[in-house]
Amino acid sequence: MMCIHTEPWTQNQLVSRTDLPNSLHELHLDHNNIEAIELEDLIRYNHIQRLGLGFNKIRDIENGSLAFLHDLRELHLDHNNLTRVPAGIKDMKHLQVVYLHSNNISQVGVNDFCPVGFGFKKVYYHGISLFNNPVNYWDVQPATFRCIVDRMAVQFGNYRK
């Protein structure tokens, strides 16, 4: 029987945390005061399948910070201060669900979610949420979502601010 380790470090006014076990499969850091994700923040947690970073103050995710999360399936970055889709998401072979709603993302590039080469992504996306961002769906090229299960997997919605 496989043991799944889960750490719910929510609503702790957390700024940084380094004493968590390496064997975590789920890490929930929602509702904290995290402002940035740096390269060394997640390097130890390569078994994480679900990462919750919603309802923080994240403005920046350093390029390469997500590269160590080889098994990541679900990423919650909703309700933060991101202005762009984090670099490296397109290189995550097993990522299936990305929550980016309620940020400040104003544009989505054609290669932000899907890798350029054929066959690199092992599992297609089942959900990408981008609603409540200042990005217009008509400004996003259809090829941006070439690696999703179906078009209903992408949610844009209306932007109200």
Side-chain angles (χ1 to χ4, degrees):
M1 185 164 132
M2 182 164 83
C3 180
I4 296 178
H5 294 100
T6 304
E7 279 297 330
W9 289 95
T10 59
Q11 299 179 352
N12 285 306
Q13 305 302 315
L14 190 65
V15 176
S16 69
R17 187 87 185 163
T18 57
D19 60 344
L20 299 172
N22 296 353
S23 59
L24 290 176
H25 285 97
E26 292 188 22
L27 181 58
H28 300 277
L29 298 171
D30 308 280
H31 296 278
N32 282 290
N33 289 321
I34 300 170
E35 294 181 2
I37 303 296
E38 297 175 351
L39 193 60
E40 62 274 357
D41 290 340
L42 300 171
I43 196 168
R44 295 179 34 207
Y45 309 109
N46 57 352
H47 299 294
I48 290 180
Q49 294 178 5
R50 182 177 294 150
L51 178 60
L53 291 166
F55 294 91
N56 279 290
K57 299 174 183 177
I58 299 172
R59 290 177 174 260
D60 185 49
I61 296 177
E62 187 177 352
N63 196 7
S65 296
L66 301 174
F68 305 103
L69 305 176
H70 305 291
D71 295 333
L72 193 65
R73 308 286 197 266
E74 190 172 314
L75 178 60
H76 295 255
L77 288 167
D78 53 292
H79 295 90
N80 278 292
N81 297 318
L82 294 171
T83 57
R84 60 183 170 85
V85 175
I89 283 185
K90 68 179 176 184
D91 300 322
M92 304 183 84
K93 295 180 181 183
H94 301 285
L95 189 60
Q96 298 174 28
V97 180
V98 183
Y99 295 98
L100 289 168
H101 56 274
S102 300
N103 276 286
N104 294 314
I105 298 171
S106 59
Q107 65 180 16
V108 178
V110 71
N111 295 318
D112 281 351
F113 291 101
C114 304
V116 177
F118 177 74
F120 179 79
K121 188 140 178 73
K122 303 291 184 193
V123 180
Y124 281 3
Y125 290 105
H126 290 270
I128 297 174
S129 67
L130 287 164
F131 62 88
N132 201 25
N133 277 293
V135 61
N136 296 318
Y137 70 88
W138 54 84
D139 291 334
V140 180
Q141 296 180 27
T144 303
F145 305 112
R146 62 191 174 275
C147 59
I148 62 170
V149 173
D150 65 46
R151 62 186 174 103
M152 298 302 289
V154 180
Q155 295 115 29
F156 270 104
N158 295 326
Y159 175 69
R160 296 182 190 133
K161 276 204 178 179

